[in-house]
Amino acid sequence: MTTVYERADPRTARGRGRPRPSPAGPLLALLWAGAAGVLALWWTDTPSVVGTAGWLTDAGRIAGLLCGYSCAVLVALMARVPLLERRVGSDRVARWHAMAGRYTVCLLVAHVTLILFGYAAQDGTGVVHETLSVVLDYPDMLKATTGTVILFAVGITSARLARRRISHEFWYHVHLLTYVAVFLAFFHQLALGSDFVGDPAARAAWYTLYLGTAALVVWFRLLAPVRLNRRHRLRVDSVHRESPGVFSVVIRGERLDELNARAGQFFRWRFLADGMRWTSTPYSLSAPPRPDLMRITVKALGDHSAAVGMLRPGTRVWAEGPYGSLTADRSSTSKALLVAGGVGITPLRALFETLPGQVTLLYRARTAEDLVLGGELEDIARWRGARVLYALNGADGSRPRFTADSLRGAVPDLAEHDVYLCGPPAMARDLYGALRAAGVPDRRIHHESFEL
């Protein structure tokens, strides 16, 4: 396609200085400190533990307290807070969220099992009888039970084996039920938790934790997107076919420079067209944003992405963002190697145009026909005096291997480069190992994965 963008001058782009430190370390330390505080609450409220029933019940209390704390963390990580999404990185936050989800489900299983067995031992009854008594007779337990069932459903649909068999849309909408589950389970924590019943300070801290988390969700997932879309009024401007099954969508809006979007970042896009309005999908900017235009490039990999190519000019667009930390801010040297696999070229194409200094692009694809935006890449390379290298399958279908030697052969001073990766997870893992073997420090390898 003929680009609608004036090229950005890489000499004026931000980057090539001291990279901004990531807040990931302090944030993780804060989260673990919160878990330690929850354990301290149990410790100070428990003078002694006596007998089998006592051990079971108190172990259940610990698991329940940690599960309640983990639920708040789980929701906060879903809130799309800019500090996390842009400074830590959306893919890293997603991994934290997935880990918190596994912890939450495991703690929930432990809490339910230990409490019920502990109560049964204490009352001298069977576990089934005790379960019915707890669910039906204890305050707020019917709501908590419903929330528990929902959390288990979210956990099951999030398992890797289940994800392969269900659509992204179904998983996404089930995942949203996490909010309902946490809301329903909250009340029994204060009504039945012995650590809160007689401790106003603990109750106030728990309310602060949950209300603060709710405020993050309301602001960043509801109010901020409404403000963005009312102010910038996004619509599809044009759609262009780039290669078989790959389309670029140019999106027009007002005062888009106020978004402070950067090359390498992405938005979550919802196209208000038939069959697409209920799905929000992340797509990277495939060209530097302009004050009135943004562009994404999408490969047809499913029903939603396939429908992108059939969008009509004038279609309203609902966007959230910008997100992602794969930007020039990560650069610490005057040399950069960009390595793209398949449609992972989209954020790196924008960086290839704007990243300051000496830049080399290595593009991995099956065939020459799969080289998305290849003409633009060649034009940018000639314009800025950069290099574009291609790694294509052989005539027999064999894939070229990325090794430390092959990478050093392509870029002799590789160890002096910042390296930006974007592509399939398997390719990224292989490349990471090869780059480390080639002497590239871990702090100079920048990767963002959009695997959901």
Side-chain angles (χ1 to χ4, degrees):
M1 65 172 282
T2 301
T3 181
V4 296
Y5 292 87
E6 297 176 2
R7 292 199 179 103
D9 187 344
R11 293 172 298 180
T12 64
R14 285 179 282 177
R16 275 200 63 186
R18 189 169 183 175
R20 299 171 69 187
S22 169
L27 285 171
L28 280 177
L30 181 63
L31 293 179
W32 285 112
V38 170
L39 290 175
L41 173 64
W42 173 85
W43 181 267
T44 57
D45 195 49
T46 307
S48 62
V49 182
V50 180
T52 301
W55 281 104
L56 288 171
T57 302
D58 276 281
R61 282 176 53 206
I62 294 173
L65 285 169
L66 288 174
C67 182
Y69 173 73
S70 183
C71 281
V73 171
L74 189 71
V75 172
L77 292 174
M78 293 172 66
R80 298 177 186 166
V81 180
L83 174 67
L84 297 175
E85 298 284 339
R86 302 175 193 174
R87 297 285 305 284
V88 176
S90 298
D91 62 330
R92 195 171 188 179
V93 173
R95 290 195 294 272
W96 289 0
H97 174 71
M99 183 179 295
R102 290 190 287 272
Y103 286 157
T104 300
V105 172
C106 291
L107 288 167
L108 183 60
V109 171
H111 170 63
V112 171
T113 303
L114 292 168
I115 283 290
L116 290 177
F117 274 90
Y119 284 0
Q122 181 176 298
D123 296 340
T125 61
V127 174
V128 174
H129 178 273
E130 192 66 35
T131 300
L132 292 173
S133 176
V134 168
V135 172
L136 298 176
D137 299 334
Y138 283 45
D140 294 311
M141 275 308 302
L142 278 175
K143 288 187 290 187
T145 302
T146 304
T148 298
V149 172
I150 294 174
L151 278 177
F152 280 138
V154 172
I156 291 170
T157 57
S158 298
R160 193 179 299 272
L161 186 62
R163 285 297 313 279
R164 297 194 187 106
R165 290 168 168 77
I166 61 177
S167 68
H168 170 72
E169 289 78 10
F170 179 80
W171 168 84
Y172 175 77
H173 290 110
V174 170
H175 217 65
L176 289 179
L177 293 176
T178 302
Y179 297 123
V180 178
V182 172
F183 174 78
L184 292 173
F186 172 75
F187 300 99
H188 92 286
Q189 299 175 46
L190 297 178
L192 299 174
S194 59
D195 301 282
F196 301 112
V197 171
D199 190 339
R203 290 173 66 89
W206 214 245
Y207 269 116
T208 301
L209 173 66
Y210 272 78
L211 290 176
T213 299
L216 291 177
V217 171
V218 170
W219 181 259
F220 291 113
R221 292 208 64 162
L222 295 178
L223 300 181
V226 168
R227 179 182 181 276
L228 183 156
N229 288 280
R230 284 178 60 87
R231 182 165 180 77
H232 299 291
R233 301 183 182 279
L234 304 174
R235 292 184 181 272
V236 172
D237 183 77
S238 57
V239 180
H240 307 265
R241 182 181 181 274
E242 301 288 358
S243 64
V246 179
F247 293 86
S248 285
V249 181
V250 178
I251 296 157
R252 184 175 295 275
E254 302 173 4
R255 300 181 293 272
L256 298 184
D257 52 324
E258 296 177 3
L259 294 173
N260 292 318
R262 308 284 304 282
Q265 292 187 311
F266 70 96
F267 286 75
R268 297 179 187 272
W269 305 94
R270 189 188 305 272
F271 299 100
L272 304 186
D274 291 343
M276 303 181 72
R277 64 181 66 243
W278 301 113
T279 302
S280 174
T281 306
Y283 295 125
S284 297
L285 299 175
S286 61
R290 278 182 25 175
D292 59 339
L293 297 173
M294 295 188 289
R295 189 184 75 176
I296 59 175
T297 301
V298 180
K299 184 175 182 179
L301 298 173
D303 293 341
H304 185 274
S305 54
V308 168
M310 295 182 287
L311 288 169
R312 296 180 178 180
T315 300
R316 293 178 59 197
V317 181
W318 183 275
E320 298 176 45
Y323 301 126
S325 61
L326 197 69
T327 67
D329 284 338
R330 288 192 176 188
S331 178
S332 60
T333 71
S334 61
K335 301 177 182 180
L337 171 64
L338 314 181
V339 188
V343 78
I345 188 62
T346 53
L348 298 191
R349 181 264 180 242
L351 276 174
F352 189 47
E353 181 175 333
T354 59
L355 197 63
Q358 177 185 319
V359 182
T360 300
L361 173 65
L362 175 57
Y363 191 177
R364 165 80 178 90
R366 290 188 181 91
T367 67
E369 289 185 350
D370 296 317
L371 293 172
V372 180
L373 306 174
E376 292 185 18
L377 298 175
E378 294 289 349
D379 288 345
I380 293 169
R382 285 192 292 270
W383 166 68
R384 66 173 299 172
R387 290 196 302 158
V388 182
L389 308 175
Y390 301 106
L392 305 178
N393 287 1
D396 59 353
S398 59
R399 296 184 177 184
R401 290 189 60 203
F402 290 125
T403 65
D405 289 339
S406 67
L407 291 172
R408 278 195 296 255
V411 186
D413 55 348
L414 179 60
E416 301 173 13
H417 284 60
D418 279 283
V419 181
Y420 290 77
L421 308 178
C422 192
M427 186 198 89
R429 286 192 296 269
D430 292 343
L431 263 170
Y432 179 83
L435 289 167
R436 295 293 288 120
V440 181
D442 181 76
R443 69 181 183 279
R444 291 188 189 160
I445 302 175
H446 317 302
H447 170 240
E448 201 156 56
S449 169
F450 300 100
E451 185 183 34
L452 296 174

